[in-house]
């Protein structure tokens, strides 16, 4: 059972260099451009990282990019691998991985709903959790939840009597 | 009201206060406080309060914690299925003023804008002792005939409906799972 | 002639009042016993009265004509059956209170509630009614076979005559036919719908089954019907197997003992699935009831 | 105005109706209905005036004997009541000249069979009605020839065994008349009595659809035209009851088999026959619970109820006989009413599949009421007549102490709650399907006969003494015991009950609950879309109508049980192969083999007949 580094070396041999950052003995992160992302994921799946446990996104608004994380897991040795790639904020399109992992369909639907990243090839990019949501995707940093909450859900106005008596009459 | 009707109403209130049936609908994190309240340590049944499976049979609807817009739609639908006289008890600070989720895009901040609340229990989340003392307070309120949230909902119905539409857009939604 | 009509009416009303008050207090005490078994205090024993009258004061919804008519038929049938149960000295129709009439009049109550529950259009209710009718086929058969033996041995199927025979004989049927008594007791638990056999009103699985759409006064009427049905079923068992009682108090005492033993059993046993319940009833109780009847018919012969 | 005139009129009316309906269908149907009603009234009101006896000589030995005793009157009035109400009922249904011709032939055959005084006439007229019903079954549905063949095969088994019985009786006793056979049969040796009894029993089982020969009922009912099913299950199976009554009660089979081993009061042969009836109750009930088509379900309920009749009339005794006869009357009324209700629903909704319908109580309330009273009677619940007959049968079971037959009887009556309730819930209750939005109540001409049957069921349920007195007249005429009946009370050995009292007490209970209902606050009417669904919204309400395989836990219990129909179809496969083998061996092409075979057969015949 070759360790994770040997696998990564084999992958680099096939698809070229990419930077590797080791977090713990059994977990590391690799940074990949979106153009090579699909090929590398496919190779990693063949090499043993058979389980896709999560797809999630991070909004790097200062660099103007969205980072998309693919968390892979290897059952034989219990190693986890985070494949990170970034997509520009104004045209966030990335190819789907449904052909590798069918379960990716709902992860991609979730990321699409909360970040607006389009996974082309995924037929089912409907809203998953929010109902009747008209605003921009809420997990983006340029969306202000406080403002939305104040507009849509009026607050309780605490008049003077509440503060002074400390809620005496509720006994 | 004729005094015969008033006397009958007083007897009815006495009956209603001693036999309250609670709906099995745990909307938030406070619901985990209910099992200890029902079982042998605090024994809610000795106050005449017991869980019921359907809104048709229930008298109290417990809003136990933060209330997201999706759950609020189901709460309104269940509340309207319950039969009056019916009461709502709000648990914790999330129903009072939004609690720690005051700035969230998904949860409401003031419960009694949308449904009439008869009793608030402070605490995040109120422990079983607080729940039991809250219920005894509700029972005395019903006994005195002051717990008229359900009458309010009937009289000021359009005010409630307007608030609901403002916050939720529409109450009866079509989602993919029910076509 | 006119006098005994008045007497029957009065004793009928007395029987109804006794049945209602006694059974509802007993159910309240039963809740206290169950609470004690679960190491808690439980509600006051008059709690069931409060629940019933509170439900009657509430508003309610109706799903149409058959929803109402079914409930009226259920409560009406069950009230009619109560008159045919002799309670010690209080026998409303001595001589013509036939057991088959009691069992089949009770079926009106079940059919009425079944119609009204399915009329509410809720799938939980239809599933509950399907389970109730299937389970009825389970517990009713052993009971009927055993009471066939009782009628054959005593040569009469009228309740009040059976009671007077047992009193005169001094030996209760439960001593004459011990296996029959045990089988009847087990199927009595099924009839009452107590814990091991209450799959048709399982609150967790099918939201209290047939009762899912009943609110307010319908619920109150169904609780009254349940109280009367309990009185009929346990009264039937006491009269058939425990000699019914010379005075009203003796009957009520035996009623109480039988009821509390069932409550204690049902407080400690989890719920059966429906086919398990039917398989259970068709295995041991049915075989034992056949053994008992064969003993009675071929060995003991007529009295 | 004797029986002959009535019989001749109904026989010659058949071709007449055929010709008239060639010109104008509705006129023919009206004439047919009027004729049947007239015959019924004539038979019903003429019966009470004692008995008359007529003979029609055809050859020296072969003559038809007809009699008008109380037995003939009882069965004639039941059969004619069902046929005349169905005749009125079927006016709006699809009309065709062939159908009206066959229907009137069926009536003529049934009438002749019921008035017969000897086995031969009974056999001949019965075959007329069987063959015409055979042709009638394949009128409506296209693929129903398979079912008709199954019916023909089993009917043939019955009629051949009866034919054998007739010839055997003629050769042994020299007569086929009921009364004279009854006199001569006691002196015969046990073997003779046994063969006659068994041969006739096979005919009864085949025609009533009891246990071993019940598989034809389901197919013939589901493919028969809607207007024929009530006659088939209400009328024709009752002819089996007539033969059963003659066979086991009129010919004193109890004395005849007296010296066979007795099983608490019943000779072993009768007990075996009753056991077959018991098994047919259990099989009919279990199969009925698992049916998804309303007509098949009621067909199996006919199997179960004819099991009751076989059980009751074969154990004999005063109460079982009275109970059996009363059950023939009740089941005729109830199953005819059920089939008519289902036919009315099918007339409006074009289907009899229960899960394709729902909520029709809103659109067809009267049909619902008719169906409700009919199922209360089939289930045997007090205010209706179904309970009276079952109660009488139970009295006899208790009196003789027969645990296994009692088990079958109790299983049948409690199981009947399950299968009678399934169509009620599937068709009438629950949410209305959108395509049934425009369904209207059945036409008045359909409702009138149905309500008549319902009122009769309730009348004989509340005042059973009226029916039991006429049954007493029958049992007296053949020397059996009678059930003593006052105006409202029925007294039996092991207990008595008062039907008027039960109904009044039920009315009092109903009034008390009505009082509570009105005293409390008025309920707000809510349609079936506003239902508890675990807090979620409900848009397509008819998806929520739960009626497909309503008793799933019960079905799972009986999945692995052997089914009679599969067993029969596998045997028929084997017989087909055997036939193919024989064909290959004997029927080859060259003629000499044929000649040789015929010669051998003729020789054999001569040897046997010398």
């Amino acid at each position: 059972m070759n360790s994770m580094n040997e696998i990564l070396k084999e992958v680099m041999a096939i698809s070229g260099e990419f930077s590797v950052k080791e977090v713990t003995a059994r977990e590391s992160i690799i940074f990949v451009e979106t153009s090579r992302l699909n090929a590398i994921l496919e190779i990693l799946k063949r090499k043993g990282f058979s389980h896709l446990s999560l797809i999630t996104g991070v909004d790097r608004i200062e660099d103007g990019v969205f980072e998309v994380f693919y968390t892979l897991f290897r059952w034989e040795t219990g190693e986890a691998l985070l494949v990170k790639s970034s997509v520009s904020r104004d045209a966030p399109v990335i190819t789907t991985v449904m052909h590798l992992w069918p379960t990716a369909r709902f992860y991609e639907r979730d990321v699409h709903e909360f970040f607006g990243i389009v996974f082309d090839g995924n037929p089912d990019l409907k809203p998953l959790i929010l109902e009747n949501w008209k605003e921009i995707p809420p997990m983006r940093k340029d969306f202000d939840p406080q403002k939305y909450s104040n507009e849509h859900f009026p607050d309780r106005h605490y008049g003077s009597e509440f503060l002074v008596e400390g809620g005496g009459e509720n006994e | 009201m004729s005094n015969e009707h008033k006397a009958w109403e007083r007897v009815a209130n006495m009956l209603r206060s001693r036999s309250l049936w609670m709906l099995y609908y745990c909307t938030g994190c406070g619901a985990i406080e209910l099992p200890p309240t029902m079982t042998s340590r605090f024994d809610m049944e000795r106050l005449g309060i017991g869980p019921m499976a359907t809104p048709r049979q229930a008298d109290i609807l417990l809003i136990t914690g933060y209330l997201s817009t999706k759950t609020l739609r189901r709460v309104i639908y269940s509340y309207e299925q319950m039969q009056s006289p019916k009461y709502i008890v709000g648990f914790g600070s999330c129903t009072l003023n939004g609690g720690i989720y005051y700035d969230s895009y998904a949860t409401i901040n003031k419960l009694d804008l949308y449904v009439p609340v008869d009793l608030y229990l402070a605490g995040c989340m109120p422990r079983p002792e607080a729940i039991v003392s809250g219920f005894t307070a509700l029972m005395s309120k019903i006994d005195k005939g002051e717990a008229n949230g359900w009458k309010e909902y009937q009289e000021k119905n359009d005010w409630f409906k307007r608030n609901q539409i403002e916050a939720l857009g529409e109450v009866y939604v079509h989602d993919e799972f029910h076509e | 002639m006119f006098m005994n009509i008045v007497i029957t009416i009065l004793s009928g009303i007395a029987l109804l009042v006794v049945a209602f008050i006694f059974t509802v207090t007993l159910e309240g005490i039963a809740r206290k016993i169950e609470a004690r078994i679960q190491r808690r205090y439980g509600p006051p024993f008059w709690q069931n009265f409060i629940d019933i009258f509170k439900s009657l004061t509430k508003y309610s919804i109706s799903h149409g004509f058959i929803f109402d008519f079914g409930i009226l038929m259920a409560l009406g049938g069950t009230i009619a059956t109560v008159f045919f149960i002799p309670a010690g000295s209080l026998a409303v129709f001595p001589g013509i209170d036939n057991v088959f009439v009691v069992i089949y009049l009770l079926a009106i109550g079940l059919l009425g509630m079944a119609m009204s529950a399915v009329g509410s259009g809720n799938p939980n209710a239809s599933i509950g009614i399907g389970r109730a009718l299937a389970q009825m086929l389970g517990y009713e058969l052993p009971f009927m076979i055993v009471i066939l033996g009782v009628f054959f041995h005593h040569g009469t199927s009228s309740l009040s005559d059976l009671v007077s025979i047992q009193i005169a004989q001094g030996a209760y049927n439960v001593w004459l036919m011990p296996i029959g008594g045990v089988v009847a007791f087990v199927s009595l638990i099924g009839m009452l719908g107590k814990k091991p056999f209450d799959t048709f009103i399982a609150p967790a699985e099918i939201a209290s089954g047939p009762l899912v759409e009943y609110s307010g006064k319908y619920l109150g009427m169904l609780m009254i019907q349940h109280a009367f049905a309990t009185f009929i079923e346990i009264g039937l068992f006491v009269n058939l197997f425990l000699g019914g009682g010379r005075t009203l108090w003796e009957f009520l005492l035996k009623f109480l003992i039988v009821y509390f033993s069932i409550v204690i059993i049902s407080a400690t046993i989890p719920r059966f699935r429906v086919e398990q319940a039917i398989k259970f009833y068709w295995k041991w109780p049915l075989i034992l009831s056949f053994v008992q009847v064969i003993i009675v018919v071929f060995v003991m012969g007529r009295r | 105005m004797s029986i002959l005139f009535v019989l001749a009129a109904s026989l010659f009316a058949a071709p007449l109706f055929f010709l008239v309906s060639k010109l104008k269908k509705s006129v023919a149907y009206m004439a047919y209905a009027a004729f049947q009603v007239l015959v019924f009234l004539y038979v019903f009101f003429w019966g009470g005036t004692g008995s008359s006896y007529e003979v029609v000589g055809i050859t020296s030995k072969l003559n038809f004997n007809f009699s008008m005793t109380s037995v003939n009157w009882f069965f004639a009035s039941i059969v004619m009541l069902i046929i005349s109400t169905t005749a009125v009922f079927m006016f709006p249904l699809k009309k065709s000249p062939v159908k009206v011709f066959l229907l009137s032939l069926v009536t003529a055959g049934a009438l002749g069979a019921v008035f017969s005084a000897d086995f031969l006439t009974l056999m001949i007229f019965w075959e007329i009605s069987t063959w015409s019903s055979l042709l009638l079954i394949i009128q409506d549905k296209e693929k129903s020839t398979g079912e008709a063949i199954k019916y023909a095969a089993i009917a043939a088994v019955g009629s051949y065994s009866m034919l054998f019985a007739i010839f055997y009786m003629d050769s042994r006793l020299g007569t086929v008349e009921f009364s004279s056979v009854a006199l001569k049969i006691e002196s015969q040796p046990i073997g003779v009595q046994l063969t006659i009894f068994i041969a006739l029993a096979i005919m009864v089982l085949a025609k009533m659809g009891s246990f071993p020969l019940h598989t034809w009922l389901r197919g013939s009912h589901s493919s028969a035209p809607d207007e024929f099913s009530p006659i088939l299950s209400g009328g024709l199976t009752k002819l089996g009851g007539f033969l059963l009554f003659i066979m086991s009660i009129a010919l004193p089979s109890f004395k005849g088999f007296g010296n066979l081993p007795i099983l608490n009061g019943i000779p072993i042969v009768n007990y075996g026959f009753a056991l077959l009836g018991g098994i047919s109750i259990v099989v009919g009930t279990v199969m009925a619970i698992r049916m998804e088509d309303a007509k098949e379900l009621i067909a199996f309920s006919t199997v179960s109820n004819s099991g009751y009749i076989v059980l009751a009339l074969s154990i004999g005794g005063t109460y079982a006989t009275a109970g059996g006869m009363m059950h023939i009357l009740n089941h005729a009324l109830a199953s005819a009413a059920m089939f008519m209700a289902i036919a009315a629903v099918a007339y409006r909704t074009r289907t009899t599949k229960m899960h394709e319908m729902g909520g029709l109580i809103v659109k067809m309330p009267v049909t619902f009421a008719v169906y409700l009273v009919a199922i209360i009677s089939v289930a045997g619940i007090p205010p209706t007549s179904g309970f009276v007959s079952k109660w009488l049968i139970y009295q006899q079971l208790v009196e003789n102490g027969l645990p296994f037959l009692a088990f079958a009887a109790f299983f049948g009556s409690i199981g009947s709650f399950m299968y009678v309730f399934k169509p009620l819930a599937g068709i009438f209750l629950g949410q209305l399907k959108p395509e049934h939005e425009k369904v209207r109540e059945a036409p008045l001409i359909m409702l009138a006969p149905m309500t008549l049957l319902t009122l009769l069921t309730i009348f004989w349920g509340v005042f059973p003494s009226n029916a039991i007195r006429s049954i007493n007249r029958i049992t007296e005429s053949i020397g059996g015991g009678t059930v003593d009946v006052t105006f409202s009370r029925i007294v039996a050995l092991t207990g008595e009950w008062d039907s008027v009292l039960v109904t009044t007490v039920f009315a009092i209970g109903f009034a008390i609950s009505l009082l509570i209902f009105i005293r409390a606050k008025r309920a707000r009417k809510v349609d079936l879309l506003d239902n508890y669904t675990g807090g979620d919204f409900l848009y397509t309400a008819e998806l929520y109508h739960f009626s497909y395989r309503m008793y799933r836990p019960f079905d799972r219990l009986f999945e692995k049980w052997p089914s009679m129909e599969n067993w029969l179809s596998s045997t028929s496969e084997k017989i087909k192969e055997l036939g193919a083998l024989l064909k290959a061996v004997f029927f080859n092409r060259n003629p000499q083999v044929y000649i040789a075979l015929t010669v051998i057969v003729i020789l054999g015949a001569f040897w046997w007949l010398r």
Side-chain angles (χ1 to χ4, degrees), chain C residues 182-237:
Chain C
V182 167
V183 165
F185 183 76
V186 167
S187 47
L188 181 61
I189 301 176
M191 258 190 233
L192 293 170
K194 278 287 188 196
K195 184 58 86 178
F197 303 109
D198 68 345
T199 45
F200 56 93
I201 44 166
E205 298 144 28
I206 41 174
S208 72
L211 306 174
V212 71
E213 278 300 315
Y214 292 116
S215 50
K217 68 181 178 190
Y218 297 99
L219 209 53
M221 285 168 80
L222 275 181
M223 286 157 81
I224 297 171
Q225 192 258 345
H226 180 68
F228 282 134
T230 316
F231 179 81
I232 293 161
E233 279 141 14
I234 298 184
L236 201 64
F237 177 76

Side-chain angles (χ1 to χ4, degrees), chain D residues 155-169:
Chain D
V157 166
S159 21
Y160 286 146
S161 76
M162 181 156 179
L163 209 56
F164 167 76
I166 291 171
F167 287 136
Y168 191 75
M169 260 191 272

Side-chain angles (χ1 to χ4, degrees), chain C residues 57 59-62 66 72 76 83 98 104 108 115 119-122 136-137 140 152 157 213 217 275 293 302, chain D residues 368 372 380-381 391 394 398-399 403 413-415 417 431 494 505 513-514 517 521 523-524 526 528 531-532 553:
Chain C
T57 61
Y59 287 91
S60 52
I61 54 103
S62 150
I66 197 61
L72 295 176
F83 292 124
N98 196 285
Y104 280 94
I108 289 186
M115 268 198 314
S120 72
N122 198 306
M136 181 171 176
L137 199 55
E140 200 74 42
F152 176 78
S157 64
E213 278 300 315
K217 68 181 178 190
E275 58 261 21
V293 136
R302 288 193 205 293
Chain D
F368 167 78
L372 177 66
I381 295 180
W391 185 77
Y394 291 153
V398 165
E399 176 56 27
S413 78
I414 299 158
F417 294 155
Q431 286 87 356
T494 59
V505 162
S513 50
L514 196 63
F517 187 81
K521 292 187 172 68
R524 175 167 60 91
V526 154
L528 297 175
N531 240 307
Y532 165 68

Side-chain angles (χ1 to χ4, degrees), chain D residues 122-141:
Chain D
L122 170 64
M123 172 81 189
I124 289 168
F125 279 95
W126 202 344
E127 281 315 302
I128 294 174
S129 64
T130 318
W131 287 347
S132 36
S133 62
L134 186 66
L135 295 172
L136 206 51
I137 282 173
I138 53 174
Q139 285 310 317
D140 263 6
K141 300 256 170 50

Side-chain angles (χ1 to χ4, degrees), chain D residues 576-607:
Chain D
K576 219 178 276 176
E577 280 140 28
L578 184 66
L581 174 71
L582 283 175
K583 186 162 181 286
V585 168
F586 288 101
F587 298 93
N588 44 30
R589 265 161 303 287
N590 40 36
Q592 318 81 303
V593 172
Y594 287 118
I595 296 159
L597 285 179
T598 38
V599 163
I600 292 164
V601 164
I602 292 163
L603 282 179
F606 273 124
W607 175 75

Side-chain angles (χ1 to χ4, degrees), chain C residues 34-178:
Chain C
E34 248 175 78
R36 284 290 177 193
I37 290 174
Q38 296 163 2
R39 294 181 60 200
R40 55 187 176 83
Y41 291 103
F45 69 88
W46 61 84
Q47 180 65 36
N48 278 50
F49 287 101
I50 298 176
D51 289 347
I52 289 177
F53 292 118
K54 177 215 78 175
S55 306
L56 289 175
T57 61
K58 281 188 72 155
Y59 287 91
S60 52
I61 54 103
S62 150
H63 280 297
F65 163 74
I66 197 61
F67 189 76
D68 307 344
F69 177 74
I71 292 291
L72 295 176
M73 196 170 139
L75 188 56
T78 315
I79 288 175
T81 328
V82 169
F83 292 124
F84 287 99
I85 300 286
S89 55
L90 189 61
V92 181
F93 300 114
I96 47 173
D97 43 14
N98 196 285
V99 175
F100 291 118
V101 170
V102 168
I103 289 172
Y104 280 94
L105 258 179
L106 207 53
I108 289 186
L110 185 70
L111 194 67
M113 206 177 100
M115 268 198 314
S116 131
V118 175
S120 72
N122 198 306
N124 292 323
S126 312
I127 296 168
I129 289 297
R131 288 182 177 184
L133 289 175
Q135 194 180 303
M136 181 171 176
L137 199 55
Y139 61 72
E140 200 74 42
L141 283 173
F143 186 74
M144 297 277 267
I145 301 288
V146 164
I147 59 174
L148 177 93
V150 169
F151 301 152
F152 176 78
H153 181 63
H154 291 294
T156 168
S157 64
S158 134
L159 270 172
S160 39
D161 299 355
L162 279 169
V163 164
S164 46
I165 291 167
Q166 286 177 63
I167 292 169
Q169 226 178 1
Y172 294 154
N173 284 341
V174 87
W175 313 128
L176 290 170
M177 312 169 193

